[in-house]
Amino acid sequence: MALSLAEGGGGSRLRRQLESGGFAAGEYVKQLSQQSDGDRDLQEHRQRIQALSEETAQSLKRNVYQNYRQFIETAREISYLESEMYQLSHILTEQKGIMEAVTQALLLQADRDDPALGARRAAAADPFLPLSAKDAAASEEGRQRTLTTLLEKVEGCRDLLPESPGKYLVYNGDLVEYDADHMAQIQRVHAFLMNDCLLVATALPSRRGAYRYDALYPLDGLAVVNVKDNPPMKDMFKLLMFPESRIFQAENAKIKKEWLEVLEETKRSRALSEKRRLEQEALPRPAPAPLESTNPFDEDEEEEEEDEPSAEEEVVDLSLEWIQELPEDLDVCIAQRDFEGAVDLLDKLNEYLADKPASQPVKELRAKVDERVRQLTDVLVFELSPDRSLRGGPRATRRAVSQLIRLGQSTKACELFLKNRAAAVQTAIRQLRIEGATLLYIHKLCHVFFTSLLETAREFETDFAGNNGCYSAFVVWARSSMRMFVDAFSKQVFDSKESLSTAAECVKVAKEHCKQLSEIGLDLTFIIHALLVKDIKGALQSYKDIIIEATKHRNSEEMWRKMNLMTPEALGKLREEMRSCGVGNFDQYTGDDCWVNLSYTVVAFTKQTMAFLEEALKLYFPELHMVLLESLVEIILVAVQHVDYSLRCEQDPEKKAFIRQNASFLYETVLPVVEKRFEEGVGKPAKQLQDLRNASRLMRVNPESTTSVV
């Protein structure tokens, strides 16, 4: 007790000494070496330090385990909070845009009512705007001149930007482009924001202040996303132009804010001007006054035309706010992976335009929307591609599949869904570790494959319930998947030369799992039979050859002597083996003590033949009927021919009587048991076995010959 207390006190002092801020390892070791009496003290001190180290490690491990769940919960809460903050920021941005749009609309209405007030307000808002209406044209010319001057510094953009009276420069500046995947710096660029597009140009190193054209993006298909600062990556924003995206870094936070604000404001102004243009086009135009005709017969025709009702073309109202913002809303939904929201907007538009005439504004709107539909389809196709993560099972694909079906792409959705599941099943099979017994691996393989197949079938039935034409594609896919399963199955069971009993058990397991598919009305048993028949035939013939070779070897050493099992236990064991083989009258062939009135060769042949028959019946299906029957006949012929030949060649009367007894056992006991068991397993009798049993002599041999026919 005192020793433990002393050790505890010493451990506390040692801990405090090691944890002190001014601890120096070299000085400590030097001092310890001087104070120690010998090697034993150093060893004990080393053990104390080692124990303290292990105790510290265990303490740290316990603390980590105790706080691990709290770390996970905290990370999950942070993720939820970040998502909610992002949604809140998006909502605030939308509210800000709505308020600015309403304010601008009210100001425009006030300007129409009082032009003088509008001019004064414009002059107060923009110090560079001239006060007089006379100078307005000069200001417009100045902005266009500035645009022309700047674009002269950009090589290769003159043909891409035709001169138009309404195009002018809004904002420009230097940016640094980064790789979207690895966040590595790519190049320095100069961006020119115009009222309808964004021009990106790269700097020419050989000419200061000169640039080369890189890309041009219309504002209608451009989405701006703020990138959260993650030092050292900061002051960045992303431009989304499906199917690509680019990340740019501003010089500082102020310039980044200016870029984000001016981009949003320019896009909003562009949308408002487009809305006003559509409103002007949607207004009914007065019909031109008809010219007076001097033909007196026209009066009668005009009277007839007046009697007929004039069908005026219906005007489609595209000035609704949700229609004007539909392309941008679709871009936002695609960028945020809100596929359901995008398809809901498309359904709403289709429902609104269902009974409307296809006027020119409607065609233009359809063209813009169709481009977004193609983008959405490409994103959904990528979601279902096998390159994506295959975890989550079939249900993970339901979202993309359902939206593709709603877009009228059910055939493509079916094809991609089945390709995704085929890749998932193949990956699951490849990840199985081949270890331990073959039967254990086959149990795992069947469980993984048939469970995946069943889950895929149920998910397919859920997703494509209203598309009956897709079910044939699923059946074709199931057949190809079954072929992949059989390849893995055969490689492990048949190519590795497993025993017939192991192969029979493995095939039995596969059949039992295959029957599970009947729960959903799918029977693939005939497919697995057709794919396995070649390998099973090879296994049966290989095992048949092994039995024939073993029988011939025993026949060559046959001395035609009775069996002496030496102990009653061995005799009892042989009785049980014969009873399990179906030989119920084996007791009549046993003699006194432990003698058996049969040859060792005949007994071994009986056990081996019945074992072959039992295992073969586990593998049986109709395509294997003749293969199994012919194999049995060949095996039996080897034995009966040897007995027949020995009976004719033997001269010793006692041995000849013993051979007749063995022949009687084969013909009257073994062959009927084989015939009965075959009929029970197959369901119909075999004429070849009946003929073999009924024949007293299977083959006549030259009596003078002393060689075996077999």
Side-chain angles (χ1 to χ4, degrees), residues 31-49:
Q31 182 181 2
L32 184 64
S33 301
Q34 293 174 354
Q35 294 177 356
S36 62
D37 294 337
D39 182 65
R40 183 175 180 181
D41 290 345
L42 291 175
Q43 290 290 343
E44 291 177 354
H45 203 81
R46 181 171 178 265
Q47 291 176 1
R48 286 199 295 270
I49 294 177

Side-chain angles (χ1 to χ4, degrees), residues 297-356:
F297 296 102
D298 289 345
E299 297 180 358
D300 297 336
E301 295 178 359
E302 290 176 2
E303 292 178 358
E304 293 178 0
E305 290 178 359
E306 290 177 358
D307 295 339
E308 298 178 359
S310 60
E312 297 182 358
E313 184 179 359
E314 182 182 357
V315 179
V316 182
D317 184 13
L318 298 180
S319 62
L320 299 176
E321 182 179 358
W322 69 272
I323 293 181
Q324 294 298 316
E325 297 179 355
L326 183 65
E328 289 190 0
D329 290 343
L330 288 175
D331 289 336
V332 172
C333 287
I334 294 173
Q336 295 181 348
R337 300 171 58 82
D338 183 11
F339 307 136
E340 294 82 359
V343 179
D344 290 341
L345 289 174
L346 293 172
D347 290 344
K348 184 178 180 181
L349 178 65
N350 292 331
E351 184 179 355
Y352 179 76
L353 298 178
D355 53 351
K356 303 293 190 299

Side-chain angles (χ1 to χ4, degrees), residues 221-234:
L222 189 68
V224 187
V225 179
N226 182 24
V227 177
K228 183 180 177 181
D229 289 348
N230 185 17
M233 301 302 174
K234 59 180 181 177

Side-chain angles (χ1 to χ4, degrees), residues 99-120:
M99 295 299 294
E100 291 178 353
V102 171
T103 304
Q104 190 170 0
L106 292 175
L107 292 176
L108 290 174
Q109 184 64 32
D111 292 345
R112 294 193 191 100
D113 297 340
D114 190 353
L117 178 62
R120 290 194 300 273

